Amino acid sequence: DVKVTQSSRYLVKRTGEKVFLECVQDMDHENMFWYRQDPGLGLRLIYFSYDVKMKEKGDIPEGYSVSREKKERFSLILESASTNQTSMYLCASTWTGIQPQHFGDGTRLSIL
Amino acid sequence: GQQLNQSPQSMFIQEGEDVSMNCTSSSIFNTWLWYKQDPGEGPVLLIALYKAGKLTSNGRLTAQFGITRKDSFLNISASIPSDVGIYFCAGQLTGNQFYFGTGTSLTVIP
């Protein structure tokens, strides 16, 4: 079975902090994604990566950056956390080609 | 980014009833996917549809990839309490282009 693991289920941080969310997949997937999920807005793509050190902006990249130094790990970074970044963050991965995404369990992030 | 039109937004049904939900788009997709999300968890893949017009089953779940490639439906037969959750459709264009519906919230009343 595909396993996508997000490092924290719940996280509470303060405004202005630099926040790191980590995601690891064990299936040698080329593509990895970060989404945020808010009530009524569905899943919105923040960034995705199609290879090591490669990244593409999604629909809402402002205030975020990403890092992919190894194929299995994709990190989301909130450079200076703000309260409007309180949300559920979901990581997903898939192979290249027409293959479905597999999601992690999510990180519920609260910025106080 | 593009969002798919998913309906209904929410459903309240009695245990044992059948459920139907659908997803439409103005775009053509190569794959349709259906996910279920339990509260506080990530979405879990239920069914992947790869061929237009084809019906695919997974236990009590049946889904179809519309012949126009612009729509899909998901049916759940004989609902049970653990079917509660949010169901998402997703259309896939390429290996890294996915578009999601806003979800159907299902409540099953015992």
Side-chain angles (χ1 to χ4, degrees):
Chain A
D1 268 359
V2 175
K3 188 70 176 170
V4 179
T5 304
Q6 294 183 229
S7 54
S8 304
R9 292 297 300 276
Y10 301 94
L11 209 51
V12 180
K13 296 290 183 181
R14 297 215 170 268
T15 304
E17 279 192 70
K18 190 169 186 175
V19 180
F20 294 84
L21 302 183
E22 306 286 348
C23 176
V24 177
Q25 49 92 6
D26 65 358
M27 285 303 291
D28 206 34
H29 288 164
E30 292 87 3
N31 298 319
M32 296 188 75
F33 308 78
W34 274 106
Y35 295 91
R36 66 177 281 178
Q37 182 179 28
D38 300 289
L41 297 178
L43 273 68
R44 293 182 291 169
L45 181 64
I46 304 171
Y47 269 97
F48 73 93
S49 168
Y50 52 90
D51 202 349
V52 175
K53 296 192 188 295
M54 307 304 288
K55 61 187 178 185
E56 292 278 347
K57 291 180 181 178
D59 300 318
I60 51 164
E62 296 79 20
Y64 302 95
S65 62
V66 290
S67 172
R68 190 148 179 221
E69 296 296 318
K70 293 185 177 181
K71 192 174 186 180
E72 67 270 19
R73 185 180 297 271
F74 192 35
S75 303
L76 179 69
I77 303 154
L78 285 65
E79 298 291 342
S80 177
S82 64
T83 55
N84 63 10
Q85 292 179 308
T86 291
S87 186
M88 174 72 139
Y89 289 87
L90 292 167
C91 174
S93 69
T94 187
W95 286 285
T96 296
I98 304 301
Q99 298 287 338
Q101 282 180 322
H102 297 270
F103 286 85
D105 283 337
T107 296
R108 188 162 290 283
L109 175 65
S110 296
I111 307 296
L112 305 180
Chain B
Q2 182 179 154
Q3 289 233 323
L4 306 183
N5 299 310
Q6 187 172 349
S7 64
Q9 265 192 327
S10 61
M11 302 182 75
F12 294 81
I13 61 165
Q14 294 283 342
E15 183 176 355
E17 287 184 358
D18 296 343
V19 172
S20 186
M21 58 191 79
N22 67 73
C23 217
T24 61
S25 170
S26 56
S27 300
I28 291 174
F29 289 109
N30 291 316
T31 306
W32 281 92
L33 308 166
W34 284 93
Y35 292 87
K36 181 190 178 213
Q37 186 176 24
D38 292 328
E41 308 280 334
V44 173
L45 181 67
L46 297 175
I47 289 184
L49 305 166
Y50 297 105
K51 192 169 181 182
K54 190 177 173 185
L55 213 60
T56 301
S57 293
N58 179 7
R60 293 180 296 107
L61 307 178
T62 303
Q64 184 161 29
F65 190 151
I67 195 70
T68 64
R69 294 167 62 195
K70 293 182 179 182
D71 62 317
S72 177
F73 71 75
L74 174 71
N75 287 343
I76 306 171
S77 63
S79 58
I80 59 178
S82 62
D83 289 334
V84 164
I86 300 177
Y87 292 79
F88 287 99
C89 61
Q92 183 180 13
L93 276 175
T94 66
N96 50 37
Q97 286 180 295
F98 294 85
Y99 301 92
F100 290 87
T102 49
T104 295
S105 174
L106 178 64
T107 301
V108 178
I109 303 163

